[in-house]
Each structure stands twice: as C-alpha cells, then as structure tokens.
Amino acid sequence: MKSKFLLRTFLTLFVVFSNLFLSAQKIEKTPFGDIKLEGDLVSKQDIDKIYTELNFQQACQAYMWALPLVSFAQWQHSHETVLGGRSGDIILYNGYENLIKILTANATTPYLITFIDMAKKGAFVIELPAGNVAGGISDMWQQEIAALGEMGADKGKSAKYLLLPPEGKDANLQAAGYKTIKCRMNNIFLGLRVLDPDPSKMQAILKQIKIYPYSSRSKPDLNKVLTPPSGKDYLLGQPQGIEYWERLHAIIQEEPIQERNMFYMAMLQNLGIEKGKSFNPTAAQRKALTDGAKYGELMVQATTYEKRFGNSKHWNDRGWEYVITMNNAQQRDASREFLMERTAYFYEAVTFSKAMISKTPGQGQAYLSEYTDKSGAWLDGAKSYSLHIPANPPAAHFWSLTVYDSETRCLIVNSQKSADLSSRKNLTKNADGSVDLYFGPNSPAGKENNWVQTVPGRHWFGYFRFYGPTEKYFDKSWKMDDIIEVK
C-alpha cells in the first residue's frame, strides 16, 4: 500500500511539475516573431521585442497621420531655403519645367504660391485684384481657411483680406475695410491658379496682387514675385527616411497643438518627438522612425492606388475614382476624422479646397483618377494605351488629362517635355466630336497631337479634371471609357 501511495504521489507531482515546465516554455507565435511566455506573462527576455514592435506600429500610424502637415512643411522649407522666397513672396510655377516638382500639379494653368509666417511679423494683408482665378488659404494641415477667387468671398472681384494669427501679436486685431480671417495656425499657405488662358491676364494679376505685414501698411513691405531657379534640386512633397520626422518635429515647434491631434502627439513623444524639446532620438527610436517612414509609405501607397473605403467610383462600371473622397474641407464629420481618406489623398496631392469638390454646376472643379487599365493591371510605361473621350465633356471652362509618375506622384518626366492633354490644346478630333488620347513610349503614327510619352520601367496614373463641371457630370449621364491597352 505504501508503495502505491508513493507511486501516485510521484505521478501527481510529475504531472504538476511537467505542466509548470510546459507552461513556462510556452511560445506565442506572432507576426513579429516568437514570444516566450512565463505562465501567462511575457518572458522578461522578450519584453524588448514587444516594445520594438509597438514603436514600429506607432511610427507607421504617425507617418500616415502627418502626411498633409509634412508635405506643406517641406514645401515651405524649400520655398525659403532653395527658391529664395520670404514670407509672402509669390513663386510663379508656370510651364512643364516649373511644375514638375509639385505633387499632381495641374499642367494646364499657372500656380501662384506663397507661405506666410505670422509668428514673426503678426497679421498679414492680402490685396487681391479682380480676375479669373481660383484658389484659397489653408493652414499647414491643408485644411481650408478660406476660398479665394470665383468661389471665395471676393467672387473674383478685388478685395482686401486681413489674416490674423491664432495667438500672440495681432491675434485679436480689429481693423475696418478688410475681410478678416482668423487663422488656426501661425504658418499658412496661399495658392491661386489663373484660369484665363491669356498670359497677359496672368501678368496683370501678378503686378496687382499685394501681400505684406499689417504692421508695415503705411509703407508696405511688398511681396516679390519669383520663379523656381533652374538647375537646383528641391522637393515639394514628403521627404523620406529620418528627414520626414525632422520636418515634422520642426513644424510642431512653431504651431499650437489642436485637440484632434493629441493622441498622435502621445505616440510621437514615445518616438522622441515632443513640442518644446529638441529632436535627439535614441538608436531604437531612430530605427522605429526610419522603418515607420519606409513601411508606412507602402501602407499609404496601397490606400491611394486601391481605395477600399466608401464609394470611391464615379461610375459603377468604370475604374475612374474620385481623387478626393472627403466631402468637406475640414476633413471630418460629426462622428470621425477622415483619416484613411485624408491619407490617400495627401500622399499623391497637395492643397485642398471646397472648390475642388464642387457640387455647383459650372463652378469649381471635379477630379477623377485612374491607376489601372480596363483589365485592372497597373499602367505600365513600357506599354501603349488609349482613352476614348466622348463628345462634349461636361466642363464649362475646359478639361484636361494629366499623366503622373506613380512613384514620385509628379508630372511624368519624359523627353517630350509634356505630361498633359486638354481641350485647350490642338487635339485631333473624330468626326462625331469625340477624342482619342494615346499613352506609350512611342508616338502612334499620325496621332502625335493626342499623345503623351510614357517611360519604360515606370508606372503611371492619370487625372481627368473638369473645370466648371456641368450637370451631366453630376448626374453621370456623360460617361467616359476606361484606359485600355493597345496591343
């Protein structure tokens, strides 16, 4: 009996200790590697793995969140350090060579661009002449503050605007004779497009527009008009790698933190980016930031080139997607921020205005994009394609089709020195008024006027813009074909 009791005791203890041993050796397989568990806790030796993954995930999410802010911060940096513009100086981007650095620039109309820093000189005055222009004022998050031109308070007539900073000097300034705009941030973006095709009209607007600090109004310190210098390398989109975070850190130091961004500021603090402190990330933080920028960009590419949120298609049986899927300039509704929609748009583009999502026939613009051919394959620069455009596209002013490089999201760089086709160009039309456009490395015989040269080894995508979209665009009764491969 005693021997049986000892045997049972031994077996019981064996099972208990075996279970303890097995539980101590349990391995949890995760997407970021094997994690050893000690009972129900992560083993001390694998805690660092968890933190490494946490930092990486936060860096990817912060990368996606910060895209619009970093894009404008980089553009302002280039405006001041490379292009030679002071606060309020206008850079004229006109023609293929000058537009080639701007994300998804419209190649048909010239751009008048400036950045204004009110932290240094307080309120600014903008004297806007009458003219056929479209544009607006945005904060550094690319949230529209006010439309200018045909859809602005001036309605295309002359006006004097007064911009007030959110805090500090001139924040509560009251002055008669101005259309006063209270800004949410110290740094703001002002962009205008001249819609009139007559170059003399553009020059007249450039001569008349005045931008200067309110404090110098008795003897205005007027803006200069500059053009991008030739032969200099500069970037007007998001930088890559650690430079992305350097630019983000710098602009955070200059601006008030909005309530909507507090959670992301907590993530950034964990990664070594904090308001009021210098940017000196540890080796672990630097690796997380570098990896977050690299792989976060891949995540953003996916959301941009294959949108999987909401109703992104204009026609149910076509591949053409809305470039902008946000339905208001504040990029939010009553229940959520448009995070994915915002990320997708600001990876491939800059600036956002209510005029770009116009619902009023004959006013503003409408943008559609296509990233694949009719079969669903990426558009390949080594292949040839065509696009059939039925007669009478629904655009009160004009329409354009612009080709962009999928990696840079800028105008395609080709030896043709052209990236767009539009109703303002001398296109060859069909007998019924329709137009066939062609894309490929070699010009189709007899169709040179209707062709954009693509580059083997580079993917591309197209934007179709309607300037002054008419009723047939909104009711979808006019329908455009998909881009098809020509074999």
Side-chain angles (χ1 to χ4, degrees):
M1 290 292 293
K2 185 175 181 181
S3 60
K4 290 182 179 180
F5 172 78
L6 291 174
L7 179 60
R8 284 197 300 270
T9 301
F10 173 78
L11 291 173
T12 300
L13 291 174
F14 177 81
V15 170
V16 170
F17 284 109
S18 294
N19 287 338
L20 287 173
F21 177 79
L22 289 173
S23 65
Q25 295 298 308
K26 184 178 179 182
I27 302 295
E28 185 72 31
K29 298 207 175 280
T30 75
F32 47 92
D34 292 347
I35 300 296
K36 297 184 182 66
L37 299 181
E38 295 178 2
D40 56 356
L41 292 176
V42 177
S43 67
K44 281 286 189 178
Q45 68 191 62
D46 280 351
I47 285 286
D48 283 348
K49 282 187 183 179
I50 302 293
Y51 271 104
T52 297
E53 180 64 16
L54 174 63
N55 291 346
F56 169 67
Q57 290 190 18
Q58 288 186 337
C60 287
Q61 295 302 311
Y63 175 89
M64 298 171 71
W65 158 79
L67 274 170
L69 181 60
V70 175
S71 286
F72 262 6
Q74 178 63 36
W75 196 343
Q76 184 180 32
H77 177 75
S78 296
H79 177 90
E80 295 173 349
T81 62
V82 181
L83 304 180
R86 304 170 304 162
S87 179
D89 284 346
I90 293 174
I91 307 291
L92 171 62
Y93 299 90
N94 187 24
Y96 177 81
E97 295 291 347
N98 284 342
L99 293 168
I100 208 163
K101 299 288 188 178
I102 301 176
L103 297 185
T104 50
N106 159 28
T108 312
T109 60
Y111 286 80
L112 283 58
I113 303 294
T114 189
F115 287 88
I116 295 173
D117 184 355
M118 293 181 287
K120 297 180 176 68
K121 295 189 176 182
F124 262 73
V125 175
I126 301 169
E127 294 187 18
L128 190 65
N132 189 10
V133 300
I137 302 167
S138 300
D139 66 19
M140 296 299 283
W141 278 104
Q142 303 197 46
Q143 298 172 94
E144 185 177 53
I145 300 169
L148 300 176
E150 64 174 14
M151 294 192 70
D154 54 276
K155 303 298 181 185
K157 300 179 180 179
S158 61
K160 292 175 70 174
Y161 288 93
L162 179 63
L163 305 185
L164 304 183
E167 55 192 11
K169 180 184 178 183
D170 295 340
N172 299 309
L173 179 66
Q174 295 183 8
Y178 299 93
K179 297 181 185 298
T180 300
I181 299 173
K182 179 72 171 181
C183 299
R184 293 179 291 264
M185 303 179 79
N186 292 307
N187 294 276
I188 68 105
F189 167 93
L190 187 155
L192 294 171
R193 282 168 296 170
V194 181
L195 302 180
D196 196 305
D198 185 349
S200 66
K201 299 288 181 66
M202 178 191 71
Q203 291 300 327
I205 289 171
L206 281 173
K207 289 178 181 178
Q208 295 176 68
I209 190 171
K210 298 177 182 177
I211 303 174
Y212 52 89
Y214 178 79
S215 59
S216 73
R217 64 194 178 282
S218 60
K219 190 178 180 181
D221 180 14
L222 295 176
N223 60 286
K224 298 177 182 178
V225 177
L226 308 169
T227 55
S230 61
K232 284 195 175 182
D233 189 26
Y234 55 93
L235 179 66
L236 303 182
Q238 313 95 2
Q240 295 181 312
I242 203 68
E243 188 180 355
Y244 183 93
W245 306 105
E246 291 171 345
R247 194 66 56 235
L248 176 61
H249 175 269
I251 191 63
I252 283 174
Q253 307 312 308
E254 299 181 19
E255 299 293 352
I257 303 299
Q258 299 173 18
E259 179 69 26
R260 68 198 295 182
N261 297 321
M262 290 295 191
F263 274 111
Y264 284 96
M265 291 303 299
M267 292 186 189
L268 291 177
Q269 182 179 358
N270 189 47
L271 296 167
I273 298 174
E274 191 172 354
K275 188 173 178 64
K277 294 188 178 180
S278 59
F279 180 52
N280 293 303
T282 64
Q285 289 170 331
R286 181 173 287 268
K287 178 172 175 27
L289 291 170
T290 303
D291 289 347
K294 180 179 180 179
Y295 298 109
E297 183 173 6
L298 292 180
M299 296 175 188
V300 174
Q301 271 189 2
T303 65
T304 299
Y305 297 147
E306 187 172 317
K307 298 176 177 65
R308 293 186 179 181
F309 43 81
N311 183 15
S312 64
K313 298 288 179 66
H314 183 62
W315 300 288
N316 291 334
D317 59 345
R318 297 289 190 273
W320 290 98
E321 298 181 335
Y322 297 115
V323 172
I324 304 171
T325 56
M326 298 173 284
N327 59 18
N328 67 68
Q330 299 312 309
Q331 306 161 24
R332 68 196 309 186
D333 62 20
S335 62
R336 68 185 180 95
E337 300 283 345
F338 297 143
L339 179 61
M340 297 300 290
E341 297 90 338
R342 187 182 80 173
T343 297
Y345 175 65
F346 287 117
Y347 177 67
E348 66 179 338
V350 281
T351 75
F352 183 36
S353 166
K354 66 179 181 181
M356 300 165 73
I357 50 174
S358 172
K359 304 299 181 185
T360 305
Q363 293 188 8
Q365 308 96 47
Y367 299 168
L368 298 179
S369 58
E370 193 153 65
Y371 309 97
T372 64
D373 65 14
K374 190 176 182 65
S375 73
W378 298 124
L379 296 169
D380 185 339
K383 297 179 179 179
S384 296
Y385 301 87
S386 68
L387 170 64
H388 181 71
I389 302 173
N392 304 314
H397 303 309
F398 67 95
W399 61 262
S400 69
L401 186 289
T402 311
V403 174
Y404 301 101
D405 184 287
S406 295
E407 181 182 359
T408 66
R409 294 94 66 209
C410 295
L411 297 176
I412 192 167
V413 178
N414 56 28
S415 59
Q416 184 189 30
K417 303 294 183 184
S418 179
D420 75 305
L421 299 164
S422 79
S423 56
R424 287 186 170 179
K425 292 192 172 184
N426 184 28
L427 302 179
T428 301
K429 293 185 177 181
N430 302 318
D432 62 356
S434 65
V435 177
D436 291 304
L437 307 182
Y438 300 90
F439 315 93
N442 301 306
S443 171
K447 307 292 177 61
E448 292 82 2
N449 288 351
N450 294 28
W451 167 67
V452 172
Q453 183 184 37
T454 59
V455 182
R458 310 290 297 182
H459 287 100
W460 62 274
F461 62 93
Y463 271 16
F464 198 98
R465 291 176 167 93
F466 304 81
Y467 284 87
T470 60
E471 192 62 44
K472 288 188 176 182
Y473 168 81
F474 293 107
D475 67 19
K476 305 180 185 180
S477 59
W478 182 90
K479 185 177 288 189
M480 180 169 57
D481 291 354
D482 284 318
I483 297 172
I484 61 172
E485 183 180 355
V486 178
K487 297 184 180 180

